[in-house]
Amino acid sequence: MVSDGTLTPEALAERAKINGVELWSLTDHDEIAGQHRAAAAAHAQGIKYLTGTEISVTFAGETVHIVGLGFDASDAALTNGLQATRSGRTERAMDMSDGLAKVGIKGAYEGALKFVGNPELISRTHFARFLVESGVCSETHEVFRKYLTEGKPGYVPHRWATLKDAVSWITAAKGIAIIAHPARYKFTANEEYALFTEFIAHGGRGVEVVTGSHSAAEYVKYADTAQEFGLAASRGSDFHSPAESRVDLGSLPFLPGKLTPVWELLADRIQ
Ligand code: AMP
Ligand code: MN
């Protein structure tokens, strides 16, 4: 709602309830303005709630997402840090539009803006929706593959928050920092090792093991990684929209039993 999902917090909470979710967190990109409404929507459905966000970080030249859960949503340093992370998205979007214009796709910035709810948070997802609407591609994954990933005409490298800052903002606000969908990053084994060790050195506590972005083999791989590094494990659908997301709320398998779920570390933060 305040980043690139298409459903309202109320519709998400209702969907979560129908799908049997007991504990839910709304994790907008780089934004926590939807937290109060999401918690109220969860409670209206009788579901427990944890505050959430997903912060964009640049590490070793790659964009990494750090999920924060259970933080105090009124924390000023976290709010300011996220605000700083959002700034620069508009300029990046205009550069993306210029890149697309060079391959004959005109007016992409204006087109993407029509899909944007929060003017500070224009994302690649909004461009993808525009390119589907205008018939350039048939679905959003195709847009990412052909136009919006590294080396493609609409891709613009961007400097997001540092790993240290993102982890520090979350932990200083009494939350837990979690490495989101680690299999999605194109890291060498050494770079991935550096990500995990630096993340832990900065105070990071968890890793997403079961997620809509991982295969079953990757659940197993990152369950082992969680144990190796002594990290708690998280599980998240990364659900954005019924039309675009492969995995629905509440439909992923449980975490492997040998792992400590992040929500066990957050028992006193559950609302
Ligand atoms: P941005 O923060 O603007 O770089 O956009 C990130 C958004 O793009 C997130 O919501 C991701 O889920 C989405 N995304 C990234 N890669 C892909 C992909 N290959 N297919 C579909 N969505 C993607
Ligand atoms: Mn993500």
Side-chain angles (χ1 to χ4, degrees):
M1 245 291 289
V2 294
S3 65
D4 62 354
T6 60
L7 300 184
T8 61
E10 291 75 24
L12 284 168
E14 191 184 345
R15 196 177 182 98
K17 177 70 178 181
I18 290 167
N19 291 357
V21 172
E22 293 169 17
L23 171 64
W24 173 53
S25 178
L26 175 72
T27 55
D28 275 302
H29 290 282
D30 307 320
E31 174 66 280
I32 56 174
Q35 291 304 308
H36 190 71
R37 199 169 143 190
H43 295 155
Q45 296 289 343
I47 298 174
K48 289 182 280 185
Y49 190 78
L50 275 172
T51 53
T53 187
E54 186 180 20
I55 306 182
S56 311
V57 159
T58 302
F59 183 84
E62 176 92 18
T63 301
V64 168
H65 288 161
I66 299 296
V67 166
L69 292 181
F71 49 79
D72 171 2
S74 64
D75 185 85
L78 174 63
T79 305
N80 293 340
L82 293 175
Q83 162 79 49
T85 307
R86 290 195 296 275
S87 76
R89 274 190 180 267
T90 298
E91 205 178 317
R92 167 193 186 235
M94 288 176 178
D95 292 346
M96 288 170 64
S97 188
D98 290 347
L100 291 168
K102 287 192 184 123
V103 294
I105 300 165
K106 306 273 188 254
Y109 177 66
E110 292 72 20
L113 267 186
K114 285 188 298 176
F115 293 90
V116 171
N118 175 354
E120 280 187 344
L121 241 149
I122 183 163
S123 89
R124 285 183 292 162
T125 311
H126 302 116
F127 280 84
R129 288 180 190 143
F130 169 65
L131 265 65
V132 171
E133 182 207 51
S134 53
V136 176
C137 291
S138 61
E139 46 99 23
T140 51
H141 295 287
E142 185 190 348
V143 185
F144 274 89
R145 208 165 54 242
K146 292 185 175 165
Y147 294 101
L148 300 180
T149 41
E150 202 168 344
K152 300 294 156 57
Y155 182 78
V156 173
H158 191 74
R159 278 229 145 256
W160 302 106
T162 65
L163 181 64
K164 179 172 190 276
D165 281 348
V167 174
S168 307
W169 297 332
I170 295 163
T171 50
K174 303 191 193 74
I176 281 190
I178 297 154
I179 298 176
H181 42 63
R184 230 160 75 178
Y185 314 127
K186 294 180 193 70
F187 284 141
T188 63
N190 280 344
E191 286 168 340
E192 185 177 82
Y193 184 83
L195 171 66
F196 277 81
T197 48
E198 290 184 33
F199 170 75
I200 289 165
H202 296 315
R205 304 277 306 276
V207 58
E208 212 172 39
V209 170
V210 175
T211 142
S213 300
H214 282 181
S215 66
E218 288 160 350
Y219 301 162
V220 174
K221 175 178 173 187
Y222 287 98
D224 289 346
T225 307
Q227 287 203 303
E228 184 190 331
F229 287 96
L231 290 168
S234 190
R235 170 174 176 250
S237 63
D238 212 349
F239 178 79
H240 285 69
S241 131
E244 295 166 8
S245 295
R246 293 185 177 123
V247 169
D248 202 346
L249 287 166
S251 67
L252 284 170
F254 290 116
L255 287 172
K258 60 183 182 177
L259 303 177
T260 303
V262 285
W263 48 89
E264 277 185 15
L265 307 181
L266 288 165
D268 63 337
R269 310 290 307 170
I270 293 175
Q271 302 176 16

